[in-house]
Amino acid sequence: MSRGKGLPAGSALLLAVAIVGCDGGALGPVDLSGGFRRIAVGADHSCGLAADGSAFCWGAGYDGRLGTGDDESRNVPARVAGGRTFVSLGVGASHTCALDPAGVAYCWGANSNGELGADHTNSAGVPTAVATDARFASISGGSAHTCAVTATGELYCWGDNTHGQTAAPAAQNVLSPRRVETDLTFDAVSAGSFHTCGVTRAGAAYCWGGNGLGQLGDGTQVDRQAPTEVGGGHQFRQLSAGHMHTCGVTLEGTLLCWGSSVHGELGNFASAPPPISGAVLPHPVTLPLSFALVDAGYHFTCAVDTQTGAWCWGRAPDGQLGNGRRLDAWSPQPVVAGGPEAIRLQDVSAGLTHACGVTTVGTALCWGRGDSGQLGIGARTLSTLAIRVRTE
């Protein structure tokens, strides 16, 4: 989805700087001269891909979710162990997955539900190859499950299946990748808390799993164990499954959301409180712009328009909307910089109580809750404005 760009000459992102962990120990020489090209966040940790494909993570280190070989939390980016390069990230609530250039999937972190796909339930502190011969083109981590799509459009899921989010027939954990039995050919997939959505190569949207607040978008509130088409006849180029809501960008650039809107996460009301708590079919967001991408988090949503402007809306007690306030918003709010960087993003990711983005020149910015170091700014503190991730 995102493509990294080099930073201008004289950038403060120095060649071969030493990233220092919160324990004061140097984590080795790091080349971040090209900045970041992709970023993804979980419940209390964040990960990014550098321009050279190296992976870095920061924030809470419990269960090895940073991939550094230990359980230490980090206030600044730490290089993922193993020296591998990756082309894609899929960060879940407490685990992280990535794809190498050959399409091999690696995961690390919490694994009590089999979300690492390693055919067991032991956590892993370093990248561990997923137990499958399949090669993937995209991957996505949910609350406690993971899904991925092969280059030929086959869909695989593994991990927690209590609501049918892996599309397995039995409501039990799936410990290794299982091919979803469907004739559909997928282009991409997005794993949420208890549901999953995907876009077919024809642009149709399908969702499955938990549907208590209409997050599957099929006009009902009935859980589904198999991919079910989203209503409305829209064609999408990108989807994002959040906690209890889903959003997508159509081929025309229209942004649509459905599911829960208890905190305004659908972005389709001008003011609070909304007259209804959600929608079981896609509804347009109240911002007349063309959008490039969207990411649905825990009761809030962030998006980037085609002019690279950044917007967030929904729940905000921890400043996760990045607009300088800690108040819920029922319509999109512009993300505001806490430094000299212009908020022109090529990528954005919304987590539990924080969000991060990458600018068009490769600078990583984060905002929201930071008590576990998940903002990567060198301190464990909250920020209601987008602050530059520390890389020096």
XYZ file of all heavy atoms in Angstrom, residues 4 11 17 29 67 88 125 194 201 204 244 253 263 273 347 357:
106
model
N 7.959 3.948 0.372
C 8.830 4.875 1.066
C 9.526 5.809 0.106
O 9.772 5.489 -1.046
N 18.881 15.701 6.509
C 17.852 15.248 7.436
C 18.466 14.839 8.759
O 19.590 14.354 8.833
C 17.099 14.055 6.843
O 16.312 13.443 7.814
N 22.856 5.698 12.883
C 22.735 6.156 14.257
C 22.556 4.953 15.165
O 22.215 3.869 14.709
C 21.529 7.109 14.430
C 21.730 8.351 13.619
C 20.221 6.425 14.068
N 24.009 -0.317 15.359
C 23.926 0.704 14.317
C 22.696 0.501 13.458
O 22.346 -0.613 13.091
C 25.214 0.489 13.523
C 25.585 -0.933 13.782
C 25.152 -1.214 15.184
N 9.664 -8.260 19.002
C 10.559 -9.069 18.179
C 12.022 -8.851 18.446
O 12.865 -9.189 17.611
N 6.041 -6.223 3.963
C 4.688 -5.963 4.444
C 4.610 -6.251 5.929
O 5.311 -7.134 6.436
C 3.680 -6.829 3.678
O 2.365 -6.617 4.129
N 9.582 -14.426 20.910
C 10.196 -13.112 21.019
C 10.991 -12.688 19.811
O 11.525 -11.574 19.780
N -12.904 -9.042 16.216
C -13.636 -10.305 16.174
C -14.254 -10.557 14.806
O -15.110 -11.428 14.660
C -14.738 -10.299 17.245
C -14.236 -9.938 18.611
C -14.567 -8.722 19.191
C -13.407 -10.796 19.313
C -14.096 -8.373 20.448
C -12.929 -10.452 20.573
C -13.272 -9.242 21.138
N -10.789 -9.492 -6.133
C -10.120 -8.883 -7.281
C -11.090 -8.130 -8.175
O -10.665 -7.315 -8.999
C -9.355 -9.948 -8.058
C -8.214 -10.529 -7.238
C -7.214 -11.307 -8.026
N -6.002 -11.487 -7.232
C -4.961 -12.195 -7.638
N -4.976 -12.781 -8.838
N -3.898 -12.313 -6.859
N -15.304 -6.338 -4.923
C -16.422 -6.571 -4.000
C -15.900 -6.760 -2.580
O -14.815 -7.312 -2.370
C -17.211 -7.801 -4.438
N -15.315 -2.856 16.387
C -16.707 -3.211 16.118
C -17.246 -2.415 14.933
O -18.451 -2.210 14.823
C -17.568 -2.946 17.359
C -17.135 -3.704 18.603
S -17.495 -5.467 18.542
C -19.237 -5.464 18.945
N -12.954 6.699 -4.632
C -12.349 7.484 -3.565
C -13.309 7.892 -2.469
O -12.937 8.648 -1.564
N -18.991 5.946 19.727
C -18.122 7.091 19.967
C -17.906 7.930 18.701
O -17.003 8.760 18.658
C -16.776 6.623 20.501
C -16.853 5.962 21.839
N -16.899 6.656 23.022
C -16.935 4.640 22.173
C -16.976 5.807 24.037
N -17.012 4.586 23.560
N -24.650 14.164 20.380
C -24.514 12.729 20.156
C -25.271 12.288 18.906
O -26.230 12.945 18.507
C -25.153 12.138 21.415
C -26.222 13.129 21.766
C -25.665 14.481 21.407
N 0.872 6.917 4.779
C 0.378 5.737 5.471
C -0.115 6.153 6.854
O 0.402 7.107 7.446
C 1.496 4.699 5.608
C 0.985 3.324 5.991
O -0.231 3.077 5.831
O 1.788 2.489 6.439
N 1.576 7.476 11.763
C 1.559 7.661 10.319
C 2.962 7.908 9.800
O 3.888 8.197 10.567
